[in-house]
Amino acid sequence: EDAERVIEPVQVMAPDGTLSGRLLLSPATDAGRVTVTVTSEAGEISETPLIEVAWPDENARDDRRIAYRMELGALRLGTGYHRLGLKGPKLEAGSLVLVPPGRLPAPHFEFGVVTPLYAIRGDDDWGIGSFTDLARFASWVQHEGGSYAGTLPLFAGSFHEPVDPSPYLPYSRLFWNEIFLDVTTLPEARAAGVSALLGGCDLRRELEELAGRPAVDYAAVMRRKRAVLMACTAELIAGGGARRAAYDAYLAANPELSRYAEFRAVDDHAATRWRSWAPPAGRLPEELPEPASIEYHRYVQFAAATQLAAAATGGAGLYLDLPVGVHADGYDVWAYSDVFAEAGVGAPPDAFFAGGQSWGFPPLHPDRLRESGYEYFIRALREALRYAAGIRIDHVLGLHRMFWIPAGGDARTGAYVRYPDRELRAVIAIEADRAAAVVVGEDLGTVTPAIRQAMDRDGMLHSFVTRFEASVDDPLPQPRRPAAASLGTHDLPKFATYWSGADIDERLAAGEVDPAEAAAEADARSALVAATVKAAGIEDDLGRGSDQTVHEALAASLSSLAAGPAPLVLVDLGDLLGERAPDNRPGTGPEAGNWRHRLPKRFDAIAGDPAVTGVLAGVRDRRSAAAEGASR
């Protein structure tokens, strides 16, 4: 295929407006009769004879074709996607031209509050947070002076037993998870039949039991919600008026939704996943499930879009997360199989994981992704940015290289595969610019200086985590690059757990460290805590593990971070509540209770808690002072 390529399928225009490329033409092609055509995204066309902008490349060797260097200067192309074409006798070739903006939007000494949506306990709690709860959360964050309400990925999930609720392994990055729908506020819920279903004693009793649990039971919640949502679907389809017209318009504007709905309906009823019932990928069985099952999946996406739009416009901007991968059995890999590779993704063996890591999802194929004009990648970004004021790019290293594991092999036989990072970053910049959204790259861990320099050029914020940077000599460090700064992440123990050292005890009990290692870690942690106490001026009379001391330490640590140079500071709502249960325990699966733990109090109680609002007031004041200081 490469041997017949005339021009690269994708090119990125330089900041000075020039476009450079390499052409390979047959000796039989009369270069004097070839025209270079540039078509802007708006449809404007310019034409130039090839011989005016290209010349033979004496340094390039090709036995069968003549290599040319092409230089197009002073192109007046706006930010976006354009087409370059070559036309001549027996020649027609083209390339997608990416024109990124100069710099991505950046926050100015702002802060946000983050929490998993599933953890929020709402007014009419079904055992999991809802999009309505997300809207209330965003409104509250704005009231407290914050600019961003952040949460974990909200994309479509699978409810096949046993349920793996990881938000970082979605069934699709193009559609949303209906488990977060607030069914009680849907217009269809007011219909007599649905209202009677919602008011049934059995359902109310079951919901009260689910709402009282400390963790989400995804399968149980989804069974109850689906029964009501199926009834809502039937009401909408049977009805008319403005609501039905809006639904029909949504379907017309989102043609891929019907294909997704058919896939999900078949997948819901299949005993095995799609590789068994739909070879090759992209094909559905001849006999589809009953129309009601298909209509259900159309309806829940329409409802999700409506509720997400409300959450995105009623308070602080949503700060959403784009996971690096998707479930191997999900819709995206089935529908876009041509851009996914038959391999796995993970990490090579290291001191922590002697056998390496396998993350359970297939990688995007870099060459096929380019040939497709990045259609899938653009769609995934665009869907997230439809509602996001800020977006976190999970595993930003994946824009540059991914560790592939051969099918049937393990991480010890894997290798790194390079990606066209300049093109991927250009696509991110274009889409974020159009959405006026801040972009944060997750660049924790082993990331090369070149990658971080590329992020700086784009205006992509880095990820700064105090936990990874603090030392006895510098217990309250500040980021040296523009960053979204936080005390921890969803993959780390909560602040209260870390401060008390309970996470070391847990790892010792689990056999992850031996007693000598645990003792050494505990000594180092104690020294760091003592240095933090001294640097922050914390009163430690009640002992390091007391709730009051933990709260004061948290407030001081956040105050220091908020007074610093980070454009964005992110505050974990669980930390504000003194929570100790983690969101996730890396290296474990659903059996460890990951992605299930709920906040201990209803959200209205949290929103009025002076201990919570007091810390946020301190963060707000110090952010304002830092902004004023920077402007002097």
Side-chain angles (χ1 to χ4, degrees):
E1 181 180 332
D2 287 348
E4 303 303 323
R5 180 179 289 163
V6 173
I7 188 172
E8 289 295 318
V10 181
Q11 300 184 63
V12 181
M13 195 172 80
D16 63 1
T18 61
L19 193 66
S20 301
R22 181 169 177 265
L23 311 178
L24 292 173
L25 300 181
S26 165
T29 300
D30 183 353
R33 299 173 64 188
V34 175
T35 300
V36 180
T37 302
V38 178
T39 305
S40 74
E41 201 167 5
E44 299 169 345
I45 301 174
S46 63
E47 295 185 348
T48 306
L50 177 64
I51 57 174
E52 293 184 9
V53 293
W55 55 93
D57 187 350
E58 302 297 338
N59 296 321
R61 298 289 181 185
D62 190 285
D63 294 337
R64 299 184 298 108
R65 294 178 295 176
I66 301 174
Y68 287 81
R69 290 294 305 172
M70 182 179 66
E71 297 283 348
L72 293 171
L75 292 174
R76 293 180 175 84
L77 297 174
T79 298
Y81 308 97
H82 311 276
R83 298 297 307 181
L84 183 148
L86 298 173
K87 293 183 179 180
K90 299 181 179 180
L91 174 66
E92 187 166 351
S95 183
L96 172 67
V97 178
L98 305 175
V99 181
R103 295 277 293 179
L104 287 165
H108 184 66
F109 293 97
E110 296 173 344
F111 79 91
V113 183
V114 298
T115 194
L117 179 54
Y118 61 76
I120 298 177
R121 296 182 185 272
D123 294 337
D124 190 5
D125 196 277
W126 284 49
I128 194 169
S130 71
F131 291 131
T132 297
D133 295 324
L134 181 62
R136 293 189 183 115
F137 174 54
S139 178
W140 172 74
V141 171
Q142 183 183 56
H143 179 267
E144 298 301 321
S147 300
Y148 298 93
T151 192
L152 300 178
L154 303 174
F155 292 110
S158 167
F159 301 104
H160 291 294
E161 296 279 11
V163 175
D164 182 351
S166 172
Y168 291 94
L169 204 61
Y171 240 42
S172 175
R173 294 191 292 184
L174 308 178
F175 298 95
W176 301 95
N177 197 330
E178 70 266 27
I179 200 169
F180 296 118
L181 280 170
D182 179 1
V183 298
T184 61
T185 62
L186 293 170
E188 293 72 38
R190 295 194 292 267
V194 183
S195 182
L197 182 61
L198 287 170
C201 293
D202 288 345
L203 179 61
R204 299 314 305 177
R205 187 166 52 251
E206 290 168 353
L207 294 183
E208 287 177 10
E209 194 274 330
L210 288 172
R213 295 184 184 182
V216 180
D217 184 337
Y218 286 87
V221 171
M222 197 63 244
R223 280 196 298 271
R224 276 67 174 183
K225 282 202 175 185
R226 177 150 184 158
V228 178
L229 289 168
M230 287 289 288
C232 288
T233 303
E235 287 291 341
L236 178 67
I237 299 305
R243 177 73 168 171
R244 177 59 190 270
Y247 176 67
D248 292 340
Y250 183 79
L251 294 182
N254 296 274
E256 188 174 5
L257 175 52
S258 289
R259 190 172 186 226
Y260 170 78
E262 291 173 350
F263 170 87
R264 291 305 302 262
V266 173
D267 188 66
D268 287 347
H269 291 80
T272 56
R273 306 286 65 83
W274 64 260
R275 285 179 176 79
S276 298
W277 52 253
R283 284 175 49 188
L284 289 166
E286 292 184 7
E287 292 188 14
L288 297 178
E290 67 276 9
S293 296
I294 299 171
E295 206 66 64
Y296 162 84
H297 284 288
R298 294 191 185 108
Y299 172 78
V300 296
Q301 292 302 315
F302 165 67
T306 304
Q307 293 187 356
L308 269 169
T313 55
L318 298 184
Y319 175 74
L320 301 181
D321 202 334
L322 185 71
V324 67
V326 289
H327 201 294
D329 293 330
Y331 171 78
D332 292 8
V333 180
W334 172 79
Y336 294 88
S337 61
D338 54 327
V339 298
F340 284 91
E342 288 291 332
V345 172
D350 58 25
F352 293 100
F353 297 95
Q357 299 177 62
S358 178
W359 297 339
F361 61 85
L364 288 166
H365 193 293
D367 292 337
R368 296 178 199 160
L369 200 59
R370 297 185 78 219
E371 294 289 351
S372 72
Y374 294 102
E375 176 191 2
Y376 169 74
F377 189 62
I378 291 170
R379 284 224 51 215
L381 280 167
R382 197 166 286 175
E383 191 59 31
L385 289 166
R386 188 188 304 271
Y387 308 109
I391 188 172
R392 172 185 176 272
I393 305 296
D394 184 30
H395 194 62
V396 78
L397 177 65
L399 302 176
H400 300 254
R401 63 177 186 171
M402 294 283 275
F403 188 77
W404 284 24
I405 301 171
D410 59 34
R412 290 169 295 186
T413 60
Y416 277 104
V417 174
R418 290 200 57 81
Y419 281 75
D421 66 282
R422 187 171 177 232
E423 295 168 10
L424 289 164
R425 291 187 292 105
V427 169
I428 291 171
I430 291 168
E431 294 301 323
D433 178 74
R434 291 182 172 184
V438 169
V439 178
V440 176
E442 189 274 288
D443 60 338
L444 304 172
T446 306
V447 176
T448 64
I451 292 175
R452 293 197 167 100
Q453 290 164 8
M455 294 171 68
D456 289 338
R457 288 194 298 272
D458 294 344
M460 185 185 296
L461 297 184
H462 301 269
S463 294
F464 177 89
V465 177
T466 299
R467 192 84 51 86
F468 293 143
E469 305 295 335
S471 66
V472 171
D473 294 331
D474 188 10
L476 296 171
Q478 296 289 351
R480 297 180 181 87
R481 295 177 182 268
S486 61
L487 299 181
T489 76
H490 57 260
D491 284 332
L492 294 176
K494 294 294 184 182
F495 182 88
T497 304
Y498 180 82
W499 186 264
S500 68
D503 58 308
I504 301 173
D505 297 335
E506 291 172 4
R507 292 174 60 222
L508 175 62
E512 296 175 11
V513 292
D514 61 36
E517 292 170 325
E521 283 192 33
D523 289 344
R525 184 77 56 81
S526 295
L528 179 59
V529 166
T532 307
V533 166
K534 182 178 180 181
I538 301 167
E539 295 292 337
D540 199 24
D541 294 340
L542 297 176
R544 159 179 164 190
S546 73
D547 290 345
Q548 182 177 330
T549 300
V550 168
H551 186 75
E552 290 178 3
L554 174 71
S557 298
L558 286 173
S559 177
S560 173
L561 207 56
L568 176 61
V569 169
L570 298 173
V571 181
D572 187 324
L573 183 58
D575 283 345
L576 293 178
L577 297 171
E579 279 288 88
R580 295 176 183 265
D583 299 320
N584 179 48
R585 295 174 175 85
T588 64
E591 76 287 344
N594 296 329
W595 317 116
R596 295 177 185 271
H597 182 72
R598 306 198 71 198
L599 297 175
K601 299 189 290 187
R602 286 165 55 96
F603 184 69
D604 55 358
I606 294 172
D609 186 342
V612 171
T613 57
V615 174
L616 291 180
V619 170
R620 180 185 64 236
D621 292 345
R622 282 157 184 77
R623 290 271 80 191
S624 297
E628 291 176 8
S631 64
R632 292 183 187 137

